[in-house]
Structure formats: C-alpha cells, structure tokens
C-alpha cells in the first residue's frame, strides 16, 4: 500500500517587526523608538525629543559645566591651606610640589632644601648636614655637621612606642623598633603559637600537654 503523499505546505509570510515611530517635537521628523532616549520616549508623543536634537544643545551645557567645575576646583585649591611638616606654617596648596603632596611629606617649596637637626632643634639647609645623615636609608634622627662634630649621640624614634632612644644601645642596626618592643612582640607570638584550644574541654592549653590522635 502506497503511503499518502503529503502536499507541500506554503511558507507563511513572516512579517518583520517594525519599531514604533513618533514625531520629534523639535525637528518635527518622524523617527523610530531607537532614536529617542528612554526618558524622552516615556514623556509621551507630544513631548518627546530625539537624541540628535538633544545632543545639539548638550555640548554647550557640558562645556559650561566643565568650565565651572574647573574654576571651582582651582578656587578650592587656591584657598586650601596645608601645614608644612618642617616649618609648621599653613600655606597655600600651590606652594607645595605635586610630589610632596603625593608622598604625604608636605614640605613647602621654601623648606624642600632644608632639614631639621634633632640635636640642636634647628632648621638648616641640607648643605649643613652630612650626606649619610639625610639619606633615605638613614633610620636615625638627623644631626647637622656641627652637632656630629660636637659629639651628639645617634638617636632613633621607635615606630611602636614612639620613644626617642639611643640608636646603638636600644636598636638593632637599621631596625625601626627598639629591642624592648621587639621582645614584647616575640613573647606575644610565642604565647600565641605555643597554645591551642582543646577539642574536648575547649580550654587553651600548652601544645606540649596535648597529644596528636
């Protein structure tokens, strides 16, 4: 028995999607939905303006806003006062270099070539200091040539307790923490790692009193 022959079906005509259209209230041209912003489209048929018409007006407004923002920033920077870490005076921002402000050292342009001697507590030009004294690798407090020649001791400020102590007696070479603070830290670390919590009683015990199961 021959199988029934199925006649070929006609292809249905597919209607392509046609986007909605609307007339722009500015240029009065009929444009598609995609030529309007969402905000403008939601305003309704009689109030919508296309993006092309809005973009013709915005550049001027953007330039005005940008000019105003730059002027406000320059005014703020001109009026802003920053304290110099050396002379302790409040000065305008433009009296500090960009590098000083980025580093956070905040030395004004008048003090950038100066340093303070901790021994005589005097601000002097850097030419009155030995190069090793004002070197970035020097962790001791600065001493001028006159104080070094006069026998002023090397002093260092501890980064933990913030106390000024003799560098040779209280510090290891090139260490910013004094020996007392380092000893306290080592003792705290030892106590932290020498004990552990017991899984049964929950108490902290010495590791030597615990067995590995």
């Amino acid at each position: 028995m021959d199988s029934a022959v199925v006649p070929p079906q006609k292809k249905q005509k597919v209607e392509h999607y046609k986007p909605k259209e609307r007339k722009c209230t500015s240029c009065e041209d009929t444009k598609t939905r995609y030529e309007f912003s969402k905000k403008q489209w939601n305003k309704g048929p009689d109030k919508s303006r296309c993006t092309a018409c809005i973009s013709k007006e915005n550049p001027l407004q953007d330039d005005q806003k940008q000019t105003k923002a730059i002027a406000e920033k320059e005014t703020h920077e001109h009026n802003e006062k920053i304290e110099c870490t050396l002379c302790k005076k409040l000065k305008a921002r433009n009296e500090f270099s960009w590098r000083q402000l980025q580093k956070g050292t905040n030395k004004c342009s008048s003090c950038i070539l100066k340093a303070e001697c901790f021994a005589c507590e005097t601000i002097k030009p850097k030419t009155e200091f030995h190069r090793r004294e004002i070197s970035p690798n020097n962790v001791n407090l600065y001493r001028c040539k006159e104080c070094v020649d006069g026998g002023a001791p090397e002093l260092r400020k501890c980064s933990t307790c913030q106390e000024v102590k003799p560098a040779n007696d209280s510090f290891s070479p090139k260490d910013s923490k004094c020996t007392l603070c380092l000893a306290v830290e080592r003792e705290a670390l030892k106590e932290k790692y020498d004990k552990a919590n017991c899984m049964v009683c929950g108490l902290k015990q010495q590791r030597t009193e615990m067995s590995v199961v």
Side-chain angles (χ1 to χ4, degrees):
M1 184 178 181
D2 297 335
S3 59
V5 178
V6 180
Q9 296 182 355
K10 294 183 179 180
K11 291 185 178 180
Q12 294 182 355
K13 187 177 180 181
V14 178
E15 294 184 1
H16 295 284
Y17 171 74
K18 186 178 180 181
K20 296 180 180 179
E21 294 181 344
R22 181 177 294 178
K23 183 180 287 187
C24 172
T25 56
S26 294
C27 61
E28 296 186 354
D29 291 339
T30 302
K31 298 187 177 183
T32 63
R33 164 70 181 85
Y34 304 113
E35 295 181 78
F36 294 83
S37 66
K38 184 178 180 181
K39 183 178 179 181
Q40 288 294 324
W41 186 266
N42 291 336
K43 285 184 177 182
D46 300 329
K47 298 178 181 179
S48 303
R49 291 194 300 162
C50 66
T51 53
C53 292
I54 292 175
S55 61
K56 290 177 182 178
E57 301 176 2
N58 279 347
L60 181 60
Q61 295 178 4
D62 292 342
D63 291 343
Q64 290 175 348
K65 289 179 181 178
Q66 188 175 4
T67 305
K68 184 179 179 181
I70 293 171
E72 289 177 353
K73 183 180 179 182
E74 290 177 351
T75 305
H76 173 71
E77 290 181 354
H78 179 74
N79 296 331
E80 184 183 6
K81 298 292 183 181
I82 300 173
E83 183 180 3
C84 174
T85 54
L86 194 59
C87 64
K88 307 299 181 184
K89 294 180 181 178
L90 287 173
K91 297 190 176 183
R93 188 184 183 90
N94 57 9
E95 295 190 44
F96 296 82
S97 67
W98 177 85
R99 187 174 181 182
Q100 286 292 316
L101 294 173
Q102 289 293 316
K103 288 167 61 178
T105 49
N106 294 353
K107 280 186 182 180
C108 65
S109 55
S110 303
C111 296
I112 196 70
L113 297 176
K114 296 179 181 179
E116 183 179 9
C117 174
F118 188 82
C120 62
E121 298 181 350
T122 309
I123 297 174
K124 298 182 178 182
K126 288 186 177 181
T127 53
E128 297 189 27
F129 292 80
H130 292 294
R131 185 174 293 179
R132 62 182 177 83
E133 285 289 330
I134 57 176
S135 169
N137 298 325
N138 182 24
V139 292
N140 295 332
L141 298 171
Y142 294 166
R143 298 175 301 163
C144 64
K145 293 178 181 179
E146 186 179 349
C147 292
V148 171
D149 297 338
E154 290 185 334
L155 300 174
R156 194 178 301 176
K157 189 175 183 179
C158 177
S159 60
T160 303
C161 64
Q162 300 295 315
E163 293 183 11
V164 177
K165 300 178 180 180
N168 297 330
D169 301 336
S170 304
F171 293 86
S172 301
K174 296 186 178 181
D175 202 334
S176 61
K177 296 180 182 179
C178 65
T179 52
L180 182 61
C181 291
L182 285 173
V184 172
E185 287 185 4
R186 290 193 193 100
E187 194 65 31
L189 287 172
K190 184 179 179 182
E191 184 179 353
K192 179 181 178 180
Y193 291 108
D194 282 355
K195 292 184 178 181
N197 290 329
C198 176
M199 296 179 64
V200 179
C201 64
L203 298 176
K204 186 170 282 188
Q205 304 288 347
Q206 291 287 341
R207 290 184 182 271
T208 54
E209 299 179 7
M210 304 177 72
S211 61
V212 180
V213 180

